Amino acid sequence: AAGVIQSPRHLIKEKRETATLKCYPIPRHDTVYWYQQGPGQDPQFLISFYEKMQSDKGSIPDRFSAQQFSDYHSELNMSSLELGDSALYFCASSLGTEKLFFGSGTQLSVL
Amino acid sequence: EDQVTQSPEALRLQEGESSSLNCSYTVSGLRGLFWYRQDPGKGPEFLFTLYSAGEEKEKERLKATLTKKESFLHITAPKPEDSATYLCAVRGTGTASKLTFGTGTRLQVTL
């Protein structure tokens, strides 16, 4: 069965650089979520989209932005990266308010 | 704001030694309580969804139960392959569809 696909798997950036994370949800899923997980911490909700419109917004810094495109894939854009942005970034998708399916994540390291 | 507290933070069991993990929650109208399993460096993997007090779900050695204030994940005769972090999450009526996670219980099962 198709799963949530995230790219890249690993990303290394310098401080103040920009990063773009991509997510391809499970086909026919209408909601996409972005979560940030620091080492040993719980996944923190960033933002979600339902049918390409923002539906929920969490603790997403102003330096970050996200969007969902017409083909339902989503991108998380992160600018002016800081050391504290180093984390595992997960994308998840769901059909309505059913369970979330998570991707394997993008490990971002900011040096 | 939805809140989830899990205990214990870490649990070490011997193979075959049954135990329970606790998830206490505060939510403005529960629209679902979710249990996920997460292996290191991987995305959370869905286990169960519970919707109302008194509901129970089972899968192999795992059984999840729900009351109005907490949920338990019972692990019967665990095996080393059950070692993982178990995350609890809730969806409340104050959000569109996002899940709020607890910090998880790190379970280690030894021979």
Side-chain angles (χ1 to χ4, degrees):
Chain A
V4 177
I5 298 172
Q6 291 188 246
S7 67
R9 185 72 178 92
H10 301 276
L11 190 58
I12 299 175
K13 291 286 184 178
E14 300 277 341
K15 283 196 312 183
R16 293 181 289 278
E17 283 191 324
T18 298
T20 297
L21 280 54
K22 295 186 178 182
C23 169
Y24 296 85
I26 293 173
R28 291 183 295 281
H29 278 194
D30 52 21
T31 308
V32 167
Y33 311 77
W34 286 98
Y35 281 84
Q36 177 192 59
Q37 187 175 31
Q41 298 182 357
D42 56 303
Q44 290 291 314
F45 174 73
L46 294 178
I47 195 166
S48 63
F49 294 88
Y50 170 71
E51 288 290 346
K52 293 159 280 185
M53 298 289 289
Q54 182 181 307
S55 54
D56 273 320
K57 190 172 183 180
S59 50
I60 183 169
D62 292 339
R63 299 177 290 108
F64 294 5
S65 65
Q67 57 182 323
Q68 187 177 26
F69 295 86
S70 58
D71 64 352
Y72 287 87
H73 95 272
S74 179
E75 294 184 3
L76 177 65
N77 297 291
M78 310 160 70
S79 63
S80 302
L81 287 169
E82 302 173 355
L83 296 177
D85 295 329
S86 296
L88 199 49
Y89 289 83
F90 289 109
C91 173
S93 72
S94 70
L95 182 61
T97 56
E98 297 296 316
K99 56 185 176 283
L100 274 62
F101 290 86
F102 284 80
S104 298
T106 293
Q107 179 65 60
L108 173 67
S109 298
V110 181
L111 306 178
Chain B
E1 186 176 330
D2 302 340
Q3 289 188 327
V4 178
T5 302
Q6 291 187 246
S7 62
E9 288 187 10
L11 181 62
R12 187 181 174 115
L13 299 173
Q14 285 195 321
E15 185 175 14
E17 181 185 1
S18 301
S19 188
S20 297
L21 312 183
N22 177 264
C23 169
S24 297
Y25 63 90
T26 303
V27 65
S28 56
L30 183 66
R31 290 166 57 213
L33 184 139
F34 300 77
W35 282 98
Y36 281 84
R37 168 192 170 130
Q38 186 175 27
D39 293 298
K42 296 188 177 181
E45 177 187 340
F46 172 79
L47 294 173
F48 303 108
T49 308
L50 301 167
Y51 292 102
S52 56
E55 189 174 358
E56 299 182 351
K57 294 258 179 92
E58 283 189 71
K59 179 182 179 181
E60 296 181 352
R61 295 177 292 282
L62 301 177
K63 179 180 177 180
T65 62
L66 180 66
T67 71
K68 289 186 177 180
K69 294 183 178 180
E70 57 191 351
S71 176
F72 292 93
L73 184 65
H74 306 279
I75 303 177
T76 302
K79 297 182 178 181
E81 52 262 42
D82 294 323
S83 298
T85 294
Y86 291 84
L87 296 166
C88 174
V90 296
R91 173 181 285 145
T93 55
T95 69
S97 57
K98 71 168 187 176
L99 298 187
T100 299
F101 283 87
T103 51
T105 293
R106 294 187 308 279
L107 174 65
Q108 183 180 12
V109 182
T110 59
L111 293 171

PDB file of all heavy atoms in Angstrom, chain A residues 7-32:
ATOM      1  N   SER A   7      10.699  13.929   1.328  1.00  0.00           N
ATOM      2  CA  SER A   7      12.049  14.118   0.808  1.00  0.00           C
ATOM      3  C   SER A   7      12.560  15.502   1.179  1.00  0.00           C
ATOM      4  O   SER A   7      11.771  16.446   1.319  1.00  0.00           O
ATOM      5  CB  SER A   7      12.062  13.944  -0.721  1.00  0.00           C
ATOM      6  OG  SER A   7      11.333  14.987  -1.333  1.00  0.00           O
ATOM      7  N   PRO A   8      13.877  15.650   1.379  1.00  0.00           N
ATOM      8  CA  PRO A   8      14.846  14.556   1.426  1.00  0.00           C
ATOM      9  C   PRO A   8      14.759  13.806   2.750  1.00  0.00           C
ATOM     10  O   PRO A   8      14.052  14.226   3.649  1.00  0.00           O
ATOM     11  CB  PRO A   8      16.172  15.291   1.285  1.00  0.00           C
ATOM     12  CG  PRO A   8      15.919  16.598   1.972  1.00  0.00           C
ATOM     13  CD  PRO A   8      14.490  16.960   1.642  1.00  0.00           C
ATOM     14  N   ARG A   9      15.469  12.734   2.880  1.00  0.00           N
ATOM     15  CA  ARG A   9      15.478  11.956   4.123  1.00  0.00           C
ATOM     16  C   ARG A   9      16.371  12.645   5.155  1.00  0.00           C
ATOM     17  O   ARG A   9      16.070  12.648   6.340  1.00  0.00           O
ATOM     18  CB  ARG A   9      15.986  10.551   3.840  1.00  0.00           C
ATOM     19  CG  ARG A   9      15.921   9.622   5.036  1.00  0.00           C
ATOM     20  CD  ARG A   9      14.485   9.224   5.350  1.00  0.00           C
ATOM     21  NE  ARG A   9      14.441   8.289   6.476  1.00  0.00           N
ATOM     22  CZ  ARG A   9      14.297   8.669   7.743  1.00  0.00           C
ATOM     23  NH1 ARG A   9      14.197   9.952   8.047  1.00  0.00           N
ATOM     24  NH2 ARG A   9      14.259   7.769   8.717  1.00  0.00           N
ATOM     25  N   HIS A  10      17.467  13.212   4.672  1.00  0.00           N
ATOM     26  CA  HIS A  10      18.393  13.940   5.532  1.00  0.00           C
ATOM     27  C   HIS A  10      18.754  15.251   4.845  1.00  0.00           C
ATOM     28  O   HIS A  10      18.858  15.302   3.616  1.00  0.00           O
ATOM     29  CB  HIS A  10      19.674  13.139   5.780  1.00  0.00           C
ATOM     30  CG  HIS A  10      19.445  11.813   6.430  1.00  0.00           C
ATOM     31  ND1 HIS A  10      19.325  11.656   7.796  1.00  0.00           N
ATOM     32  CD2 HIS A  10      19.306  10.568   5.897  1.00  0.00           C
ATOM     33  CE1 HIS A  10      19.123  10.380   8.070  1.00  0.00           C
ATOM     34  NE2 HIS A  10      19.100   9.698   6.951  1.00  0.00           N
ATOM     35  N   LEU A  11      18.968  16.302   5.656  1.00  0.00           N
ATOM     36  CA  LEU A  11      19.302  17.610   5.110  1.00  0.00           C
ATOM     37  C   LEU A  11      20.226  18.313   6.098  1.00  0.00           C
ATOM     38  O   LEU A  11      19.918  18.391   7.284  1.00  0.00           O
ATOM     39  CB  LEU A  11      18.020  18.420   4.892  1.00  0.00           C
ATOM     40  CG  LEU A  11      18.111  19.734   4.122  1.00  0.00           C
ATOM     41  CD1 LEU A  11      18.683  19.504   2.735  1.00  0.00           C
ATOM     42  CD2 LEU A  11      16.730  20.368   4.037  1.00  0.00           C
ATOM     43  N   ILE A  12      21.331  18.801   5.578  1.00  0.00           N
ATOM     44  CA  ILE A  12      22.284  19.536   6.401  1.00  0.00           C
ATOM     45  C   ILE A  12      22.387  20.951   5.858  1.00  0.00           C
ATOM     46  O   ILE A  12      22.643  21.142   4.660  1.00  0.00           O
ATOM     47  CB  ILE A  12      23.669  18.863   6.407  1.00  0.00           C
ATOM     48  CG1 ILE A  12      23.562  17.450   6.980  1.00  0.00           C
ATOM     49  CG2 ILE A  12      24.658  19.696   7.227  1.00  0.00           C
ATOM     50  CD1 ILE A  12      24.862  16.662   6.904  1.00  0.00           C
ATOM     51  N   LYS A  13      22.182  21.931   6.736  1.00  0.00           N
ATOM     52  CA  LYS A  13      22.218  23.329   6.331  1.00  0.00           C
ATOM     53  C   LYS A  13      23.061  24.125   7.316  1.00  0.00           C
ATOM     54  O   LYS A  13      23.270  23.713   8.458  1.00  0.00           O
ATOM     55  CB  LYS A  13      20.795  23.901   6.300  1.00  0.00           C
ATOM     56  CG  LYS A  13      19.913  23.353   5.192  1.00  0.00           C
ATOM     57  CD  LYS A  13      20.324  23.923   3.855  1.00  0.00           C
ATOM     58  CE  LYS A  13      19.390  23.470   2.760  1.00  0.00           C
ATOM     59  NZ  LYS A  13      19.769  24.065   1.441  1.00  0.00           N
ATOM     60  N   GLU A  14      23.502  25.288   6.859  1.00  0.00           N
ATOM     61  CA  GLU A  14      24.204  26.216   7.728  1.00  0.00           C
ATOM     62  C   GLU A  14      23.187  27.189   8.325  1.00  0.00           C
ATOM     63  O   GLU A  14      22.085  27.369   7.790  1.00  0.00           O
ATOM     64  CB  GLU A  14      25.238  26.995   6.925  1.00  0.00           C
ATOM     65  CG  GLU A  14      26.304  26.140   6.267  1.00  0.00           C
ATOM     66  CD  GLU A  14      27.427  25.787   7.211  1.00  0.00           C
ATOM     67  OE1 GLU A  14      27.566  26.478   8.244  1.00  0.00           O
ATOM     68  OE2 GLU A  14      28.150  24.811   6.937  1.00  0.00           O
ATOM     69  N   LYS A  15      23.573  27.819   9.429  1.00  0.00           N
ATOM     70  CA  LYS A  15      22.718  28.864  10.022  1.00  0.00           C
ATOM     71  C   LYS A  15      22.409  29.923   8.983  1.00  0.00           C
ATOM     72  O   LYS A  15      23.230  30.262   8.151  1.00  0.00           O
ATOM     73  CB  LYS A  15      23.417  29.503  11.219  1.00  0.00           C
ATOM     74  CG  LYS A  15      23.391  28.659  12.465  1.00  0.00           C
ATOM     75  CD  LYS A  15      23.728  29.454  13.719  1.00  0.00           C
ATOM     76  CE  LYS A  15      24.972  30.305  13.553  1.00  0.00           C
ATOM     77  NZ  LYS A  15      25.321  31.016  14.802  1.00  0.00           N
ATOM     78  N   ARG A  16      21.205  30.452   9.051  1.00  0.00           N
ATOM     79  CA  ARG A  16      20.718  31.528   8.176  1.00  0.00           C
ATOM     80  C   ARG A  16      20.398  31.065   6.749  1.00  0.00           C
ATOM     81  O   ARG A  16      19.940  31.878   5.950  1.00  0.00           O
ATOM     82  CB  ARG A  16      21.686  32.710   8.143  1.00  0.00           C
ATOM     83  CG  ARG A  16      21.775  33.438   9.488  1.00  0.00           C
ATOM     84  CD  ARG A  16      22.733  34.627   9.429  1.00  0.00           C
ATOM     85  NE  ARG A  16      24.121  34.166   9.332  1.00  0.00           N
ATOM     86  CZ  ARG A  16      24.836  33.785  10.386  1.00  0.00           C
ATOM     87  NH1 ARG A  16      24.317  33.792  11.591  1.00  0.00           N
ATOM     88  NH2 ARG A  16      26.090  33.395  10.214  1.00  0.00           N
ATOM     89  N   GLU A  17      20.611  29.800   6.464  1.00  0.00           N
ATOM     90  CA  GLU A  17      20.231  29.290   5.137  1.00  0.00           C
ATOM     91  C   GLU A  17      18.741  28.968   5.098  1.00  0.00           C
ATOM     92  O   GLU A  17      18.031  29.099   6.100  1.00  0.00           O
ATOM     93  CB  GLU A  17      21.044  28.040   4.803  1.00  0.00           C
ATOM     94  CG  GLU A  17      22.471  28.340   4.384  1.00  0.00           C
ATOM     95  CD  GLU A  17      23.169  27.123   3.803  1.00  0.00           C
ATOM     96  OE1 GLU A  17      22.921  25.997   4.277  1.00  0.00           O
ATOM     97  OE2 GLU A  17      23.963  27.304   2.861  1.00  0.00           O
ATOM     98  N   THR A  18      18.292  28.544   3.917  1.00  0.00           N
ATOM     99  CA  THR A  18      16.894  28.200   3.686  1.00  0.00           C
ATOM    100  C   THR A  18      16.774  26.721   3.354  1.00  0.00           C
ATOM    101  O   THR A  18      17.679  26.152   2.722  1.00  0.00           O
ATOM    102  CB  THR A  18      16.324  29.031   2.524  1.00  0.00           C
ATOM    103  OG1 THR A  18      16.370  30.409   2.870  1.00  0.00           O
ATOM    104  CG2 THR A  18      14.887  28.647   2.225  1.00  0.00           C
ATOM    105  N   ALA A  19      15.682  26.095   3.799  1.00  0.00           N
ATOM    106  CA  ALA A  19      15.445  24.684   3.502  1.00  0.00           C
ATOM    107  C   ALA A  19      14.009  24.484   3.033  1.00  0.00           C
ATOM    108  O   ALA A  19      13.098  25.191   3.473  1.00  0.00           O
ATOM    109  CB  ALA A  19      15.704  23.825   4.743  1.00  0.00           C
ATOM    110  N   THR A  20      13.830  23.541   2.138  1.00  0.00           N
ATOM    111  CA  THR A  20      12.496  23.177   1.668  1.00  0.00           C
ATOM    112  C   THR A  20      12.305  21.681   1.825  1.00  0.00           C
ATOM    113  O   THR A  20      13.080  20.891   1.292  1.00  0.00           O
ATOM    114  CB  THR A  20      12.289  23.568   0.194  1.00  0.00           C
ATOM    115  OG1 THR A  20      12.391  24.985   0.066  1.00  0.00           O
ATOM    116  CG2 THR A  20      10.908  23.127  -0.278  1.00  0.00           C
ATOM    117  N   LEU A  21      11.277  21.298   2.557  1.00  0.00           N
ATOM    118  CA  LEU A  21      10.937  19.895   2.779  1.00  0.00           C
ATOM    119  C   LEU A  21       9.677  19.584   1.981  1.00  0.00           C
ATOM    120  O   LEU A  21       8.745  20.390   1.934  1.00  0.00           O
ATOM    121  CB  LEU A  21      10.675  19.631   4.263  1.00  0.00           C
ATOM    122  CG  LEU A  21      11.888  19.439   5.193  1.00  0.00           C
ATOM    123  CD1 LEU A  21      12.870  20.580   5.112  1.00  0.00           C
ATOM    124  CD2 LEU A  21      11.400  19.248   6.622  1.00  0.00           C
ATOM    125  N   LYS A  22       9.681  18.409   1.375  1.00  0.00           N
ATOM    126  CA  LYS A  22       8.537  18.023   0.548  1.00  0.00           C
ATOM    127  C   LYS A  22       7.816  16.806   1.119  1.00  0.00           C
ATOM    128  O   LYS A  22       8.429  15.950   1.748  1.00  0.00           O
ATOM    129  CB  LYS A  22       8.991  17.732  -0.877  1.00  0.00           C
ATOM    130  CG  LYS A  22       9.549  18.948  -1.586  1.00  0.00           C
ATOM    131  CD  LYS A  22       9.857  18.664  -3.040  1.00  0.00           C
ATOM    132  CE  LYS A  22      10.367  19.917  -3.731  1.00  0.00           C
ATOM    133  NZ  LYS A  22      10.626  19.695  -5.173  1.00  0.00           N
ATOM    134  N   CYS A  23       6.515  16.768   0.852  1.00  0.00           N
ATOM    135  CA  CYS A  23       5.681  15.682   1.357  1.00  0.00           C
ATOM    136  C   CYS A  23       4.656  15.296   0.293  1.00  0.00           C
ATOM    137  O   CYS A  23       3.972  16.155  -0.258  1.00  0.00           O
ATOM    138  CB  CYS A  23       4.960  16.121   2.627  1.00  0.00           C
ATOM    139  SG  CYS A  23       3.667  14.992   3.180  1.00  0.00           S
ATOM    140  N   TYR A  24       4.563  14.012   0.039  1.00  0.00           N
ATOM    141  CA  TYR A  24       3.559  13.488  -0.896  1.00  0.00           C
ATOM    142  C   TYR A  24       2.621  12.591  -0.091  1.00  0.00           C
ATOM    143  O   TYR A  24       3.028  11.512   0.356  1.00  0.00           O
ATOM    144  CB  TYR A  24       4.236  12.722  -2.033  1.00  0.00           C
ATOM    145  CG  TYR A  24       5.099  13.618  -2.876  1.00  0.00           C
ATOM    146  CD1 TYR A  24       6.412  13.901  -2.508  1.00  0.00           C
ATOM    147  CD2 TYR A  24       4.592  14.217  -4.026  1.00  0.00           C
ATOM    148  CE1 TYR A  24       7.203  14.758  -3.262  1.00  0.00           C
ATOM    149  CE2 TYR A  24       5.370  15.073  -4.789  1.00  0.00           C
ATOM    150  CZ  TYR A  24       6.679  15.340  -4.396  1.00  0.00           C
ATOM    151  OH  TYR A  24       7.445  16.192  -5.139  1.00  0.00           O
ATOM    152  N   PRO A  25       1.383  13.035   0.120  1.00  0.00           N
ATOM    153  CA  PRO A  25       0.458  12.263   0.973  1.00  0.00           C
ATOM    154  C   PRO A  25      -0.025  10.993   0.277  1.00  0.00           C
ATOM    155  O   PRO A  25       0.195  10.806  -0.917  1.00  0.00           O
ATOM    156  CB  PRO A  25      -0.695  13.247   1.189  1.00  0.00           C
ATOM    157  CG  PRO A  25      -0.668  14.126  -0.024  1.00  0.00           C
ATOM    158  CD  PRO A  25       0.780  14.267  -0.387  1.00  0.00           C
ATOM    159  N   ILE A  26      -0.695  10.173   1.047  1.00  0.00           N
ATOM    160  CA  ILE A  26      -1.308   8.970   0.494  1.00  0.00           C
ATOM    161  C   ILE A  26      -2.403   9.404  -0.488  1.00  0.00           C
ATOM    162  O   ILE A  26      -3.178  10.323  -0.173  1.00  0.00           O
ATOM    163  CB  ILE A  26      -1.894   8.100   1.625  1.00  0.00           C
ATOM    164  CG1 ILE A  26      -0.747   7.548   2.483  1.00  0.00           C
ATOM    165  CG2 ILE A  26      -2.759   6.974   1.079  1.00  0.00           C
ATOM    166  CD1 ILE A  26      -1.192   6.823   3.729  1.00  0.00           C
ATOM    167  N   PRO A  27      -2.464   8.780  -1.659  1.00  0.00           N
ATOM    168  CA  PRO A  27      -3.492   9.159  -2.635  1.00  0.00           C
ATOM    169  C   PRO A  27      -4.897   9.164  -2.053  1.00  0.00           C
ATOM    170  O   PRO A  27      -5.256   8.275  -1.265  1.00  0.00           O
ATOM    171  CB  PRO A  27      -3.341   8.091  -3.724  1.00  0.00           C
ATOM    172  CG  PRO A  27      -1.913   7.686  -3.643  1.00  0.00           C
ATOM    173  CD  PRO A  27      -1.569   7.733  -2.181  1.00  0.00           C
ATOM    174  N   ARG A  28      -5.646  10.188  -2.386  1.00  0.00           N
ATOM    175  CA  ARG A  28      -7.040  10.404  -1.961  1.00  0.00           C
ATOM    176  C   ARG A  28      -7.176  10.915  -0.526  1.00  0.00           C
ATOM    177  O   ARG A  28      -8.292  11.159  -0.082  1.00  0.00           O
ATOM    178  CB  ARG A  28      -7.891   9.145  -2.166  1.00  0.00           C
ATOM    179  CG  ARG A  28      -8.108   8.825  -3.640  1.00  0.00           C
ATOM    180  CD  ARG A  28      -9.008   7.607  -3.807  1.00  0.00           C
ATOM    181  NE  ARG A  28      -8.401   6.392  -3.294  1.00  0.00           N
ATOM    182  CZ  ARG A  28      -7.475   5.692  -3.941  1.00  0.00           C
ATOM    183  NH1 ARG A  28      -7.034   6.107  -5.108  1.00  0.00           N
ATOM    184  NH2 ARG A  28      -6.976   4.589  -3.411  1.00  0.00           N
ATOM    185  N   HIS A  29      -6.058  11.055   0.177  1.00  0.00           N
ATOM    186  CA  HIS A  29      -6.129  11.705   1.484  1.00  0.00           C
ATOM    187  C   HIS A  29      -6.284  13.202   1.274  1.00  0.00           C
ATOM    188  O   HIS A  29      -5.625  13.791   0.413  1.00  0.00           O
ATOM    189  CB  HIS A  29      -4.881  11.410   2.318  1.00  0.00           C
ATOM    190  CG  HIS A  29      -4.941  10.097   3.007  1.00  0.00           C
ATOM    191  ND1 HIS A  29      -4.066   9.740   4.019  1.00  0.00           N
ATOM    192  CD2 HIS A  29      -5.775   9.041   2.847  1.00  0.00           C
ATOM    193  CE1 HIS A  29      -4.369   8.523   4.456  1.00  0.00           C
ATOM    194  NE2 HIS A  29      -5.389   8.078   3.746  1.00  0.00           N
ATOM    195  N   ASP A  30      -7.150  13.839   2.082  1.00  0.00           N
ATOM    196  CA  ASP A  30      -7.466  15.240   1.848  1.00  0.00           C
ATOM    197  C   ASP A  30      -6.817  16.188   2.859  1.00  0.00           C
ATOM    198  O   ASP A  30      -6.949  17.409   2.730  1.00  0.00           O
ATOM    199  CB  ASP A  30      -8.995  15.449   1.873  1.00  0.00           C
ATOM    200  CG  ASP A  30      -9.653  14.885   3.128  1.00  0.00           C
ATOM    201  OD1 ASP A  30      -8.948  14.703   4.149  1.00  0.00           O
ATOM    202  OD2 ASP A  30     -10.868  14.621   3.072  1.00  0.00           O
ATOM    203  N   THR A  31      -6.140  15.660   3.850  1.00  0.00           N
ATOM    204  CA  THR A  31      -5.537  16.507   4.879  1.00  0.00           C
ATOM    205  C   THR A  31      -4.063  16.143   5.067  1.00  0.00           C
ATOM    206  O   THR A  31      -3.712  14.973   5.127  1.00  0.00           O
ATOM    207  CB  THR A  31      -6.279  16.347   6.224  1.00  0.00           C
ATOM    208  OG1 THR A  31      -7.677  16.550   6.022  1.00  0.00           O
ATOM    209  CG2 THR A  31      -5.779  17.373   7.231  1.00  0.00           C
ATOM    210  N   VAL A  32      -3.233  17.179   5.123  1.00  0.00           N
ATOM    211  CA  VAL A  32      -1.800  17.009   5.325  1.00  0.00           C
ATOM    212  C   VAL A  32      -1.379  17.777   6.567  1.00  0.00           C
ATOM    213  O   VAL A  32      -1.871  18.885   6.807  1.00  0.00           O
ATOM    214  CB  VAL A  32      -1.006  17.530   4.096  1.00  0.00           C
ATOM    215  CG1 VAL A  32       0.472  17.649   4.416  1.00  0.00           C
ATOM    216  CG2 VAL A  32      -1.204  16.603   2.906  1.00  0.00           C
TER     217      VAL A  32
END
